Amino acid sequence: MFHAIRTPGRMRDQLKDMQTRLREIAAAFLERPDALFFIGWEMTPDEKETRPFFARNPRQAQRLVWNDLCHPNPASYLPRLRDREGMIGVAVKGCDARALRELIRANQIERKNLFVLGIPCTGLVDPNTGAIASRCAECQYPVDFDYDETLGPMETPALTVERSAPDLDAMSLQQRRAFWKQELDKCIRCDACRKICYGCYCPECIFEMSDPKWATNRGDLADKIFYHAVRAYHLAGRCVGCDECARACPMGVRLDLLNRSLRDHAKEMFSFDGAGITDEKPLLRTFSTEDPDPFFGGDE
Amino acid sequence: MSRVKVGVFVCHCGSNIGGTVDVPDVVEYAKDLPLVHYSEDNLYTCSDAGLTAIKEKIKEHGLNRVVVASCTPRTHEELFRRTCEEAGVNRYLFEFVNLREHCSWIHMNQPQEATCKAKELVRLGAAKAARLRPLEIARAQIKPACLVIGGGVAGLSAAGSLAQQGFEVHLVERNDRLGGLTVDLWKLLPGDRPASELLHTLTARVTKNDNVTLYLSSELNEITGFIGSFKATLSTPSGKKDIEIGTVIVATGAVELEPLGLYNLGKTEGVITQMGLEKMLSDGRKDLGDVVFINCAGARGPDREYCGRLCCAVSIKNARYLKEADPDARVTVLQRDVMAFGTEFETEYRKAMCAGVRFIRFSPDRPPTTIGNDKVTGVRIYNQLTGEESDLSANTVVLTTPLAADSGASDLAQMLKVPVDKDGFFLEAHLKLRPVEFATDGVFIAGAARFPADIGEAVAQGTAAAAKAAAPMFAGEVSVEATTALTNPRLCSGCATCEAVCPFGAIEITQDRHGRPVSEVNAVMCKGCGACAAACPCGAIQQLGFTDSQIFEMVRSLARDGDPSGSEG
Amino acid sequence: MTVIGYMKRSALEGVLGDISDKLEVIAPLPSGDKGAVELRRFEKGAQVSIGPVKPMLPLKTIFLPPVEQIFRFSKSENETTVTASTPITRDRVVFGALGCDIAALALIDEVFLREPVDEAYRERRTRTTIVALACEGQGPECFCASVGIDPVRPGGADVVMIPVKDGFIVETITKKGEQLGTMLQGALRDPTGPQKKTARSFTSTSRSDVDLSAPAGGWSAVWESEAWEDASARCIGCGICTVVCPTCHCFDVHDERHGNGGERFRKWDSCMAVNFTMMAHGENPRPQHRARVRQRYMHKLVYFPENHGAVACVGCGRCAVACPNRTGIGEVADRMREREEDSNE
Amino acid sequence: MNELMMIPLIARIRSIREVTFDTLMFEVAIEKDGKEVPFSYLPGQFAELSVFGVGESPISITSTCTRPGLVEFAVREVGLVTEAMHNMRPGDNMGIRGPLGNGFPVDEMKGKDILFIAGGIGLAPLRGLINYVLDNRSDFGAVDIIYGARAPNLLCFDWEFDTWKAAPDTRVHLTIDAPAAGWNGSVGFVPAIVKELALPPGNRLAVACGPPIMIKYVLEDLAAAGYRDEDVITTLEMKMKCGVGKCGRCNIGAKYICVDGPVFRLSELKTIPSEY
């Protein structure tokens, strides 16, 4: 049932212990009369990956797993569950907790309806390559959150993983444009990136609206670029770097790079340190006269 | 909805537009635009003849959208809107195209290009006009009652003035007595009148008028609502009290800064502040020996950049009193420069110097220091003009500190949803144009709560705020702009971004019937600035009169028809 | 079915190059840098990726493109001229089509070739020759054998290529196939006995144990079932399953204006999209996620069989592969049938 | 069959008539290759009307196939396409594909008494059928028409009422939701009038069309009054795109509203899921 690929043996035992405790805690939560379900992870049928799992009773809690393949972000299911009456248990690792914090801040779920179990994560593994997942290389947890329980101190693991992605900043403008054209042309506009994103909780996406009609639906490269650019800007300052968009993309578009570059710029230009970490307002929803404005020839 | 019929009226504006733009050509062009049913040019559309033409053509052609392409909406939009209204077309079905300032004046030397641009501007205006929807002006009833927060000089002046005009006034004072800081003052400039005399007059106006309800030792707990109908809860010694008022005047004043430690204030006996001195003087103590005043104490530095404004006058006043009371005492004022504005204060300055008060200028780079361990014995001063350092003997050192914002101001500001500046003072709507108003309708500001003010200014501002507050209360109602923001609850995620960005406190997150958070715009409080519409991540807020679909129609019109080859836009 | 010869693998690109002078050639070509494969137009010199990787987008893209212009129009004064768009300009051949995908075409035919016939679709169908690649099962997700499809010599193929050592045994099935066969002649050799034997005994590893049959009491018995709640719980509603499904064929229609003219086009749509059934006046008869998930599976397993006599699933397994949560139709059908308490799919 | 499958003919607007404040009736002539062509249809069928460059909408045909000439569509402004239609003038062209859908089972209705029940714009598809029945008056038994709207000025096709009332053995029962100045007729919701009239089933068919909430109550009341499910006919509405059973969105269960409907007998509706 347990697939650690790069995680060393000693840590593997540690993960297994955590899994046991996760199941105990979830089962105990599900004994509560007001408990609806506990959202965590289970192994996929081929046992190569994990997927979200909604445990409804203590027996089902035994299907929950915790290991270095727990990529999905359980917090992203919460907005659509906000009308449910009762308590929802949810297991979160650092990146998920950042998303959860943003969701609570944006009124998408009420803290009082949640039982939050914090899991100290030591880095996830990419099931295809066996290497540490790229998002974990720049992880900024522990995240400050009022967890109901945790499986240990929410500390930052000392991961010294280099970014393996193409260095976009080193590219010329033309090269970068060519890179993104090629990358975004793979998109088939299936919307998986949008639907899996914790931050895409608008009741109706502007790309679905017919009046006003924000976007054409021709599906050509211009449309694809428009879609991804708007989405990236929309998430600037809210993206918590969980990379679920890239994982969900069936065509392998490097959406993680797109969002990451916006996060980098936010840090560089506005000293904005990433969503879900502080109580700073989302970047693009604030205005300060000291904001740099290089586009209009202002101070860099 | 009946079919859209747009009428386009292009103005020559004498030669202002007509001298550059080929107006008849623009009119011909407008005739072929989608949904345009009529188009004509006028020498002056704003003239009687022009306005009559608009009304006649509305009737004759059944026009239900009107576009005027002329000078500027700043001066003429209201005129044309009214004209439409008179002809039975909703005033918001009018669209202004600014041909003079956006086109003819700035392209005076390129008539051909200007004509081309004029056509495009008219096309955009007509495209938007076709999507305009009638809007209704909301009116709010104004309850003729005012809440005055603060019973100092400004608050008393405001309350007295309103009460005399017959309005119901609720005056709330935190302390157990009226008068604010003035209570502790001895004599006032000019004229050396005792402060108590002035206070007596001001207080009597308030306490003897039945229109005023006085709440001493009371504070404002909560306030909701908007111009015309605020609901406030006061905590009074006899418990909570709910009141309803139409307007609010903030006159909470300020406090004297007490920079403990500065010049050994609070550490060495004999180092006091001006308020301390005033109290002593009021108590009849004048035997203070040699006195050194140190001005700009705690002001005009890195922590507090502003000038206290009245400090110089205060030190001039008190230095003279002391010198006059004890001519043998050495009275010295250490100053960075003297701000004795106006002839009255200039005269006071002279009188002090004639009385024998010494004024020595120091530099903030080498500030004076007090001498003496337990009790102050002197002040070491580097005289900026002579370049010499010397020691002055002093039995008393008086620090002239500025007035500072009350620590409670920011809470009050949050409650009223009005801004404060970086020093914590309340911020008015416009320094020059709207000095006693907030941007939020129905809330006004007077006195030192805004910025250090002397007694005369506080009285003037209190009276001015009362006049401003009285205007809507006399009218009994206000009409509010219809081009406000509107939330589409179906699209709203309830994320409260709008609430955070609204500068007028006009948006509230409420719950819909399913208990979901949803944004609600208060049309009376909304000023139509559009900040929320721009910030809304879901596209759920529309700015009426500038809706996305109206703007898109303009963009689409520009993109679609802008390229005569008809290639993809 | 006639064996017409043996073709060396190494000869394939050359043959396709020759054919591309006469026909438009479509073949699985490498896409991107992660070993993905895409059915695209073959240009001379390109390397074909025929073999172990299934294209993420199925064969339907060739007949029902993701975005397809229906007509152009132009307006003048009071006249509007409508010009139907030309679906294809040349006859075409698709190489390396898989049994599951070809079987799916027969299902789409049921919808698009019944009255009123979709002319664009028919034209693409009739003017395309399909060369199947006998499929030994391209992944653990494959279960075409479970839904009665022959992955080796699928019905609907005109020509079949059966992989043998270093090449293929080529068999023609239809008239159209024979015509194509003549174009292949130059590259064919007589097959050896062992080659023929390998081809004859070629089998697929496709799973045959996936059960899409109705639950006890029929599908109507589970209409209100809690199991739909489970099935929709983890589903994020992205609709990628409908994109990669070889039998999904729903589309949306859009107009665009350009200058005095414009176009109408259709575009794949997905029943998983919230606004799929959103009406102009703002009402949505299928507003809940749960109802949309149910619609998708009921359409495949109940409505389509009721209207056309066959389950609208060809066992390609793409839905499970593409799904961010790796949920396939088989798993859902199992849960519906069992409705065991432990379910959560 | 191209004009059904995605390629529209031209519907040239000959005249426009105001039905209510938000509903216009377009009288159109159908053209193919610049020439007027006949357009034959059954009562209850619909067509996909389009504004080129804006989009298509399914609109029921409100004119009567027994009266050759222009084809009529009553269009209420609800969205972008209908808004664009409302801005058109006589002489303009729309696109048209049709007729689509099954239409009312007129042959099977012959020899029966008929009770028409309509609310608001729901009269649009029934108007064609009512006029068909009246044009073939001797083929049908007694005719009763119950029609209601929120207010007097929202009653559609009021110019028809007198003609209908004048037809032999035909009664028109008009109602509005709430009392209004100048209105002397019945006041009350349509289902209430249905109950009040209490027309016995006997040899009678009921044909109902209107807003969903009205239909819900009317169907309940008819059942309570003893109408058999196969004698109650209604029309359904659902989002459509192609109108010919291919785009896949207007199904309820295995039935597609566009090809299997929009007209259904209650007995058919009972075999398909109650939810979409």
Side-chain angles (χ1 to χ4, degrees), chain C residues 141-320:
Chain C
E141 313 80 18
C142 282
F143 63 94
C144 65
S146 307
V147 288
I149 288 163
D150 178 1
V152 181
R153 293 177 184 83
D158 299 302
V159 177
V160 175
M161 296 162 68
I162 300 167
V164 293
K165 193 170 186 306
D166 297 331
F168 312 94
I169 293 294
V170 181
E171 299 176 359
T172 56
I173 298 176
T174 62
K175 265 254 150 51
K176 235 183 233 172
E178 283 165 22
Q179 283 169 4
L180 186 81
T182 59
M183 294 187 210
L184 298 172
Q185 277 309 330
L188 295 178
R189 283 192 244 144
D190 282 341
T192 63
Q195 282 170 339
K196 278 190 189 167
K197 204 175 152 211
T198 316
R200 260 200 308 277
S201 58
F202 186 92
T203 50
S204 164
T205 58
S206 166
R207 287 172 61 185
S208 56
D209 59 344
V210 174
D211 184 0
L212 300 182
S213 65
W219 286 102
S220 55
V222 295
W223 176 256
E224 302 283 357
S225 165
E226 267 289 297
W228 294 117
E229 198 65 49
D230 292 345
S232 55
R234 100 166 34 105
C235 170
I236 61 167
C238 66
I240 185 65
C241 48
T242 62
V243 171
V244 299
C245 178
T247 71
C248 272
H249 55 268
C250 292
F251 61 85
D252 198 358
V253 179
H254 296 272
D255 277 31
E256 289 289 343
R257 282 182 285 186
H258 318 290
N260 287 325
E263 61 175 328
R264 180 166 298 165
F265 58 90
R266 69 175 167 198
K267 183 176 177 275
W268 290 355
D269 202 353
S270 169
C271 55
M272 301 305 297
V274 181
N275 60 352
F276 186 67
T277 49
M278 177 79 85
M279 292 195 263
H281 47 64
E283 246 171 71
N284 191 350
R286 208 179 283 147
Q288 305 137 319
H289 183 55
R290 192 178 99 108
R292 293 190 289 271
V293 171
R294 179 174 61 194
Q295 157 69 18
R296 173 169 149 74
Y297 291 111
M298 293 294 268
H299 184 235
K300 300 245 174 265
L301 301 174
V302 187
Y303 310 153
F304 202 90
E306 227 171 86
N307 287 329
H308 306 290
V311 165
C313 172
V314 292
C316 73
R318 285 186 181 95
C319 48

Side-chain angles (χ1 to χ4, degrees), chain A residues 218 220, chain B residues 565-569, chain C residues 68-75 79-87 254-266, chain D residues 6-8 10 50 52-53:
Chain A
R218 200 68 178 79
D220 50 22
Chain B
S565 68
S567 63
E568 305 211 357
Chain C
E68 175 184 7
Q69 192 182 65
I70 303 167
F71 61 79
R72 293 191 72 89
F73 69 89
S74 61
K75 277 182 183 170
E79 299 304 325
T80 306
T81 316
V82 176
T83 316
S85 307
T86 318
H254 296 272
D255 277 31
E256 289 289 343
R257 282 182 285 186
H258 318 290
N260 287 325
E263 61 175 328
R264 180 166 298 165
F265 58 90
R266 69 175 167 198
Chain D
M6 310 314 283
I7 311 289
I10 298 297
S50 51
F52 293 103

Side-chain angles (χ1 to χ4, degrees), chain C residues 35-91:
Chain C
V37 169
E38 198 184 344
L39 280 169
R40 261 186 299 141
R41 183 192 305 180
F42 170 89
E43 308 281 358
K44 274 183 194 175
Q47 197 64 32
V48 175
S49 179
I50 203 159
V53 182
K54 197 182 288 173
M56 184 56 98
L57 293 182
L59 184 61
K60 73 174 178 188
T61 53
I62 306 305
F63 300 94
L64 216 53
V67 179
E68 175 184 7
Q69 192 182 65
I70 303 167
F71 61 79
R72 293 191 72 89
F73 69 89
S74 61
K75 277 182 183 170
S76 65
E77 203 63 16
N78 271 329
E79 299 304 325
T80 306
T81 316
V82 176
T83 316
S85 307
T86 318
I88 49 172
T89 50
R90 302 172 69 193
D91 288 351

Side-chain angles (χ1 to χ4, degrees), chain B residues 216-288:
Chain B
L216 289 176
S217 305
S218 302
E219 283 191 66
L220 175 65
N221 258 16
E222 204 192 332
I223 185 161
T224 56
F226 43 87
I227 182 168
S229 50
F230 290 101
K231 286 187 173 58
T233 307
L234 310 175
S235 65
T236 72
S238 51
K240 295 253 184 265
K241 166 97 177 137
D242 292 325
I243 55 170
E244 288 182 19
I245 58 266
T247 54
V248 177
I249 294 175
V250 176
T252 48
V255 294
E256 185 195 40
L257 183 70
E258 270 197 87
L260 290 180
L262 185 67
Y263 302 116
N264 269 351
L265 177 67
K267 287 184 184 161
T268 304
E269 199 189 327
V271 181
I272 58 172
T273 61
Q274 289 283 5
M275 280 311 278
L277 175 63
E278 295 268 1
K279 269 183 213 158
M280 285 182 182
L281 292 172
S282 304
D283 294 346
R285 280 191 58 194
K286 285 158 200 164
D287 52 334
L288 302 177

